[in-house]
């Protein structure tokens, strides 16, 4: 049994955009309010936080995240890491160091941007207690088998993750322009697939909705959701247009499997 909750489904700027009065940004449909995309997953009492966006504190409060046993990072873009400092609250609650997993390039960026985490202890200085761990292949945390999924999204290495628990599978790829064939084979036929779908117009580093739907149809998950959306996309009207088994995700959406 695993439970996954999308704490956010928006692109880097979030929705509404600052200073925008378009129909989506001023919509009264709560599903059009998108915090920056991240995922919280629990199985067998182990809680994983995938990425810590700038909204992480507010997301943890809104969706009652009470425990984080490990943090996994997909890549080091600002919209996926700038809430990392709030992990210190979980150090306090759980009274322990918390591991943070990422590939070599993302780890290097995290250690540079959050350099104070690794500095010698300074009295009175409250900072996250992190054990940085390099991902270089599939690994396991509690009952959760984790497979890194390499994708193309700009010049630096970017990953999604496949999670397997007790014969059930969920894959999460929030930032992706191209899914290489080798990665596609790793996610083919998963139970639930969450994939980047920024907007309708083409973008250098993200999939459009049409590109995303085409890849989702190749993957053939039982259920798929679009994430990392911008303010061009109205939840209700877009959701109604998608093929069966593909839906637009929204903040707080809970997936049990
Ligand atoms: Zn992003
Ligand atoms: Zn807008
Ligand atoms: Zn990104």
């Amino acid at each position: 049994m695993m439970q996954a909750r999308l704490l956010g489904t928006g692109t880097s700027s979030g929705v509404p955009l600052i200073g925008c009065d378009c129909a989506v940004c001023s919509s009264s449909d709560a599903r059009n309010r998108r915090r920056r995309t991240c995922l919280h997953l629990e199985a067998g009492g182990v809680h994983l936080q995938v990425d810590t966006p700038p909204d992480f504190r507010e997301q943890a409060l809104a969706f009652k995240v009470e425990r984080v046993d490990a943090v996994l990072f997909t890549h080091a873009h600002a919209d996926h890491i700038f809430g990392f400092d709030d992990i210190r609250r979980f150090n306090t609650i759980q009274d322990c160091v918390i591991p943070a997993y990422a590939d070599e390039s993302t780890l290097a960026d995290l250690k540079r941007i959050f350099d104070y985490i690794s500095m010698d202890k300074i009295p009175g200085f409250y900072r996250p207690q992190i054990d940085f761990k390099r991902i270089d292949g599939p690994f396991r945390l509690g009952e959760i088998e984790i497979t890194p999924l390499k994708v193309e999204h700009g010049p630096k290495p970017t990953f999604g993750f496949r999670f397997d628990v007790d014969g059930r599978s969920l894959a999460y790829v929030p930032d992706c322009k191209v899914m290489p064939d080798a990665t596609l084979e790793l996610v083919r036929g998963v139970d639930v697939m969450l994939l980047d779908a920024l907007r309708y117009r083409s973008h250098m580093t993200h999939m459009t909705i049409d590109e995303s739907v085409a890849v989702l149809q190749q993957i053939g998950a039982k259920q798929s959701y679009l994430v990392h959306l911008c303010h061009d996309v109205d939840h209700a009207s877009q959701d109604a247009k998608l093929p069966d088994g593909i839906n637009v995700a929204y903040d707080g959406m809970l997936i049990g499997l």
Side-chain angles (χ1 to χ4, degrees), residues 156-227:
K156 288 194 173 180
T158 298
F159 291 82
F161 297 103
R162 172 177 170 146
F163 303 97
D164 284 84
V165 177
D166 215 9
R168 308 291 174 87
S169 53
L170 176 145
Y172 174 66
V173 178
D175 292 54
C176 179
K177 176 63 181 174
V178 175
M179 184 175 288
D181 288 344
T183 299
L184 206 138
E185 291 312 315
L186 291 174
V187 296
R188 206 181 279 283
V190 288
D191 292 314
V192 175
M193 182 75 214
L194 309 171
L195 185 60
D196 186 358
L198 179 70
R199 64 185 188 191
Y200 306 103
R201 282 176 300 124
S202 181
H203 189 277
M204 293 276 291
T205 61
H206 291 279
M207 288 182 179
T208 63
I209 289 183
D210 285 348
E211 288 168 344
S212 187
V213 166
V215 171
L216 287 170
Q217 287 176 327
Q218 284 180 275
I219 293 168
K222 291 194 184 84
Q223 175 65 48
S224 302
Y225 296 99
L226 310 183
V227 298

Side-chain angles (χ1 to χ4, degrees), residues 75 77 79-80 153 158 175 206 228:
H75 63 309
H77 284 167
D79 56 321
H80 295 261
H153 167 64
T158 298
D175 292 54
H206 291 279
H228 213 290

Side-chain angles (χ1 to χ4, degrees), residues 13 38 44 85 98 112 114 175 185 199 208 211 213 216 230 246:
S13 45
C38 72
D85 194 71
I98 293 173
R112 177 176 51 80
F114 299 95
D175 292 54
E185 291 312 315
R199 64 185 188 191
T208 63
E211 288 168 344
V213 166
L216 287 170
C230 85
I246 303 179

Side-chain angles (χ1 to χ4, degrees), residues 15-17 20-26 231-232:
V15 181
L17 274 182
C20 183
D21 60 0
C22 78
V24 172
C25 287
S26 50
H231 72 147
D232 293 349

